[in-house]
Amino acid sequence: MKLKNILFVVKDIEKSKKFYREIFGLEVVRDFGENVILTEGLVLQECDLWEKCIGENVQMGGRDAELYFEENDIDGFIQKLRGCDYEIEYLNKCKGNNIGKRAIRIFDPDRHIIEIGESCSISS
């Protein structure tokens, strides 16, 4: 068995597709309208369709999970965020962690948490 995708429920699929394309460079692999598969295995599904699938209402922004990206040029990425068309909401501004890597956490348009960590090469 292998994990194929991670699904995020979104309110506006077009806004979310644009956000993930412009900020993270993810491209649409398959577009089924209310369900879209992006590169790197991220799936976006509109809230109405998801609620029909599970038979319950969804509450966005639970802060119980995150997407994690690594970036070689964290300073350049921070500048990209400052210059983008989105009003980026930060959970954590850039700070170091216990192994010396810097990371930031932001919210996507539906308040899913995204962490962007500084890449660190592990040499053997």
Side-chain angles (χ1 to χ4, degrees), residues 9-13 15-16 60-62 107-112:
V9 176
V10 300
K11 293 177 185 170
D12 182 337
I13 204 155
K15 182 177 182 178
S16 293
M60 303 295 240
F107 292 102
D108 79 355
D110 294 287
R111 299 197 43 83
H112 299 110

Side-chain angles (χ1 to χ4, degrees), residues 14-64:
E14 293 302 321
K15 182 177 182 178
S16 293
K17 286 190 315 190
K18 184 177 178 190
F19 175 84
Y20 282 101
R21 181 181 61 248
E22 291 180 6
I23 303 296
F24 297 100
L26 301 184
E27 297 294 333
V28 173
V29 175
R30 300 286 305 263
D31 191 333
F32 302 102
E34 295 175 301
N35 184 291
V36 175
I37 302 170
L38 303 177
T39 52
E40 304 300 327
L42 181 60
V43 175
L44 306 174
Q45 188 164 40
E46 290 218 344
C47 189
D48 290 343
L49 180 58
W50 182 249
E51 288 177 340
K52 288 176 193 172
C53 289
I54 66 170
E56 294 182 18
N57 291 332
V58 170
Q59 182 177 348
M60 303 295 240
R63 297 184 184 213
D64 58 350

Side-chain angles (χ1 to χ4, degrees), residues 39-90:
T39 52
E40 304 300 327
L42 181 60
V43 175
L44 306 174
Q45 188 164 40
E46 290 218 344
C47 189
D48 290 343
L49 180 58
W50 182 249
E51 288 177 340
K52 288 176 193 172
C53 289
I54 66 170
E56 294 182 18
N57 291 332
V58 170
Q59 182 177 348
M60 303 295 240
R63 297 184 184 213
D64 58 350
E66 72 176 14
L67 287 183
Y68 176 74
F69 291 87
E70 284 195 343
E71 172 60 48
N72 290 328
D73 179 11
I74 195 82
D75 294 315
F77 186 78
I78 291 167
Q79 290 301 322
K80 178 180 180 177
L81 290 178
R82 289 182 183 147
C84 74
D85 292 337
Y86 295 94
E87 186 174 323
I88 301 296
E89 182 181 356
Y90 291 84

